[in-house]
Amino acid sequence: MKSGQASSVEVTQAHLDRIAAVDGDVHAFLHVDTEGALAQARAVDDKRAAGEQLAPLAGVPLALKDVLTQEGVPTTAGSKILEGWKPPYDATVVQRLKAAGIVILGKTNMDEFAMGSSTENSAYGTTHNPWDLSRIPGGSGGGSSAAISAYEAPLAIGTDTGGSIRQPGAFTGTVGVKPTYGGTSRYGLIALASSLDTPGPCARTTLDAALLHEAIAGYDPMDSTSINQPVPAVVEAARNGDVSGLRIGVVKELGGEGYQPGVEARFHEAVELLTKLGAEVVEVSCPHFEYALPAYYLILPSEASSNLAKFDAMRYGLRVGDDGTNSAEKVTSLSREAGFGAEVKRRIILGTHALSSGYYDAYYGQAQKVRTLIARDFAKAYEQVDVLVSPATPTTAFAIGDRIDDPIAMYKNDLCTIPSNLAGNAAASFPCGLADEDGMPVGFHVMAPVMRDDLCYTVGAALESALAEQWGGVLMTKAPELEVTR
Amino acid sequence: MTAAVLEINDALTQFDPVMGLEVHVELNTRSKMFCGCPTEFGAPPNTQTCPVCLGLPGALPVVNARGVESAIKIGLALNCEIAEWCRFARKNYFYPDMPKNFQTSQYDEPIAFNGWTEVVVDGETYRIEIERAHMEEDTGKSTHIGGATGRIHGADHSLVDYNRAGIPLIEIVTKTIEVPGDKAAAVARAYVSMLRDLLLALDVSDVRMDQGSLRCDANVSLKPRGSSVLGTRTETKNVNSFRSVERAITYEITRQAAVLTSGGKVLQETRHWHEDTGITTSGREKSDADDYRYFPEPDLVPVAPSREWVEELRATLPEAPSVRRARLQEEWGFTDLEMRDVINGNALEPIVATVELGVTPAAAKKWWLGELARSANESGQDLDALGVGPAQVAEVQKLVDDGALNDKLARQVFEGLLAGEGSPAEIIEKRGLALVSDDSALLDAIDRAIAANPDVVEKVNSGKPAAAGALIGAVMKDMRGQADAAKVRQLLNQKLGI
């Protein structure tokens, strides 16, 4: 676009055409804002024609996870209870995307209220993994990651509460970054668990992710938990990618039993590569990580049960049974019965119980203590090393329907990603090859201290360029051509 | 439905009341507690709202620093400790006028705690221990349409106004108050009244009880005389005048006493106060099982007021009302009884303002308590709503000092002022109230008095000069009070040669 070879309108239209061609099979999008996107693209083209200085990603199209509010555009968080709701305001992230001239193509599919690891919990149907349409794309941000791996958009925004950017990133062979908690604004992000939720970039390359990261990150006075510090130098790190002398810690507890051999093989090869590039690799122990999953599954539903209380059918969204004979309580209960899916109800009940008097100390209080211990594990580890690494997920993308009836098996998918959310650290997943068993992508997970997001990009960029030498390009070029059926 | 009650004196011979008072104060910050919306009272419904105070999906709260400042000032004025670190919590419950279905409040980590204050009732000082003062947000306001009573029960639909949702509140909670039973209700009233003065002096709230910016929940329980076992308490909600606080507590004492003496059990419940009938009725039954599922508000970072800031705020605190009163009483030379009349007549501030304009405290008190407070009482108005201010009182008093008016005429000027007849000068002109200082007119009147009262003149002449008073009275009557009595006495004495 900068060199004048294509206009933003042309690029945007090309992606809209691709969506029209493949999204019937992939189902990455819940809403495509054709007119809005083209109007934004035209505005950028006009500015460029007028010789205005534009931000690096101006005119580039993007897919937005349906959990961030965009003024006048349907926003559902993957739930029936918000069907048809058009927010009257933009999330801070969306404001910043617009200010950077980034064109928003539409809203992407997700597990309902971001609860899930497969995007099978969406009230609007499952998203399919473009690498193998019979498999899940990961969750909860399956739509965003699938959109970029299906070339429906070059960039996407996800949100990561327990791995919802990184896990689908790993499953679709794309880059997914969970910035430091508070590094990106939550204002306008429909809350799942307030103390964990973090918006972040999804892209096909490390540099793209860094550019998008830079566009959306930074202090926001509208979010009390936002960190008032300069954005880490992520773009510079992604361009540089020099890991010589970098101390990398392999987390002992994140590997071994339960991990797919193909995943472990690719992970260890990647660690080898980094060693060859001059990184210093040691094994590090984080003994409390084994309690991360149970702690997470107490904290998350507790906060969620309170955050979702506002969906009472009184002011917006779905309203069932309002026929003049039912009380307000009855209308609320009928609307919730119809509007919330099974997983959402499960977690509301769990969280309500965990917070109730007499149980608070045993559950929520205890989980918060575990959270502190995990943060200490990280702090201690970072005394020895600059970053920690692990596989992003224990397995590659599994088949649709495989784990939907086994919540615990589903929850275990986020084993590697959850500790970073509990501690508020930066973390990212980068593609590191395909598993031998199934030919599906494997994610390499990098965890960095708070506000050292740049270190994730340094490792990602080093790995990406080393692997590109082996593969003759980025991993995505190995993805099979989508067989378009509709 | 009126419950049986005991006579208050009978109740108090058998039981000792125990009280706890929770006062909610709306702060007068320009914007709401967690967003930038204005807080003006009386705006059209739902015009002062935004995604944050409407609790729209995705919206987040941010703490209003002015709200925290006000909370600290209130805490300091109530001799509380100010937390070095405190947090907001979510109080989860469902209510249609609460947009998020949780209230952002403070729970186990309030900003101010462990304080005390004092109130004076009938010359006795009572110490009230303060448990805590914490920050929270107000809810919206529901209007129930279609029912006979305006309550939700029987209504066919309800309208909700969210303008009030998110307005900063401070809740001030006392520890249990145990004072002699016959003083309990009066102490409660004095406490709320003292709080109002304090909050006004701090300039943190408008404290308009009629607009609900100060609301009192009164917890009352009875324990049998001589027992140390606490009884079951009731919580009478939203009592919103000083007088009602006193009446509601008295009523609850008499009602609970009747229940207990007839062998019944007091239910733990919230009760509604009815201003018109002077009784409380059962609200919802409240048990200890009420589960608000409190947990620290994850959308807000903790509040950690620096010690420097707290000390700066302490330095800005105005003189405490009780200290100020003692000082003024001393300066003015009023007796305890006089001062109490001033306070009870709500005349302290007008008198201060009038004295500042050069009027003596005694004269200022005379007019404010004599003429103006009486008139306010008769018309059921507040003193400051009468339309007569300190400047006018000072103006009238100056005319008295200059000899242009006497007290009797001055009273008529006040009558005119209260009736809105214009400025003092205009009223004197219109009503013809000026003192007659023309000697010849006075001498004529004296002649008429002497001529009409030969018996009095004879008494005076026979060596009883005191009898001349009757002649002065006659002259004053003849002059319709518009004569300077001293001058009349002087001229009359000359005339009679005494």
Side-chain angles (χ1 to χ4, degrees), chain B residues 441-457:
Chain B
L442 292 178
L443 286 170
D444 287 352
I446 287 170
D447 287 344
R448 281 194 293 276
I450 287 173
N453 297 284
D455 49 331
V456 177
V457 175

Side-chain angles (χ1 to χ4, degrees), chain A residues 50-394:
Chain A
E52 260 184 59
Q53 193 71 30
L54 297 175
L57 294 176
V60 178
L62 171 140
L64 182 66
K65 190 174 179 181
D66 199 29
V67 73
L68 286 149
T69 59
Q70 184 181 353
E71 188 180 342
V73 175
T75 300
T76 67
S79 181
K80 284 276 184 229
I81 208 147
L82 273 177
E83 190 160 3
W85 182 59
K86 290 180 182 172
Y89 75 109
D90 278 337
T92 299
V93 163
V94 171
Q95 277 176 25
R96 289 181 182 179
L97 291 170
K98 287 181 175 176
I102 294 169
V103 174
I104 303 171
L105 293 169
K107 310 299 286 288
T108 56
N109 199 10
M110 57 183 285
D111 283 307
E112 185 176 359
F113 287 109
M115 296 180 191
S117 307
S118 67
T119 315
E120 292 166 283
N121 287 331
S122 167
Y124 302 99
T126 301
T127 298
H128 297 254
N129 192 321
W131 286 73
D132 176 348
L133 293 174
S134 72
R135 292 176 190 259
I136 57 101
S140 65
S144 287
S145 292
I148 50 178
S149 84
Y151 292 93
E152 294 171 280
L155 301 172
I157 293 290
T159 61
D160 194 309
T161 305
S164 293
I165 289 175
R166 291 162 287 161
Q167 185 252 24
F171 284 179
T172 60
T174 57
V175 175
V177 180
K178 182 199 95 70
T180 297
Y181 178 81
T184 47
S185 170
R186 289 186 297 116
Y187 189 77
L189 162 59
I190 299 175
L192 168 55
S194 307
S195 73
L196 303 163
D197 298 341
T198 314
C202 312
R204 288 193 289 266
T205 70
T206 305
L207 182 58
D208 284 355
L211 288 165
L212 181 54
H213 187 131
E214 195 178 60
I216 61 168
Y219 177 62
D220 177 15
M222 296 294 280
D223 176 356
S224 158
T225 57
S226 172
I227 297 174
N228 193 357
Q229 279 179 34
V231 179
V234 291
V235 173
E236 198 187 313
R239 288 212 163 99
N240 190 341
D242 181 4
V243 293
S244 58
L246 195 76
R247 294 169 305 162
I248 293 176
V250 175
V251 182
K252 194 172 84 179
E253 286 78 8
L254 300 179
E257 203 188 326
Y259 285 70
Q260 193 177 315
V263 168
E264 292 229 277
R266 293 297 89 76
F267 169 70
H268 289 300
E269 283 166 20
V271 172
E272 276 303 302
L273 264 180
L274 292 169
T275 315
K276 279 184 195 149
L277 292 170
E280 209 181 292
V281 177
V282 294
E283 193 180 71
V284 169
S285 174
C286 295
H288 297 99
F289 279 19
E290 66 169 301
Y291 308 111
L293 201 64
Y296 176 83
Y297 277 101
L298 287 170
I299 291 167
L300 178 138
S302 296
E303 294 185 12
S305 71
S306 173
N307 283 331
L308 297 187
K310 65 176 58 158
F311 299 101
D312 58 7
M314 288 296 124
R315 295 168 297 274
Y316 43 76
L318 187 72
R319 191 167 170 111
V320 176
D322 182 17
D323 58 5
T325 67
N326 289 317
S327 67
E329 283 85 354
K330 186 75 182 168
V331 170
T332 294
S333 119
L334 288 171
S335 303
R336 287 175 169 171
E337 173 58 32
F340 284 145
E343 183 63 20
V344 172
K345 288 172 185 161
R346 173 156 45 227
R347 295 199 197 182
I348 289 173
I349 290 167
L350 199 61
T352 303
H353 181 65
L355 285 178
S356 57
S357 84
Y359 295 96
Y360 179 95
D361 290 335
Y363 294 135
Y364 186 82
Q366 201 67 16
Q368 289 291 16
K369 284 179 194 158
V370 169
R371 190 172 186 174
T372 305
L373 294 174
I374 287 166
R376 279 188 203 150
D377 275 2
F378 272 114
K380 224 172 140 197
Y382 291 134
E383 286 171 11
Q384 303 171 57
V385 296
D386 298 304
V387 294
L388 295 170
V389 297
S390 74
T393 55

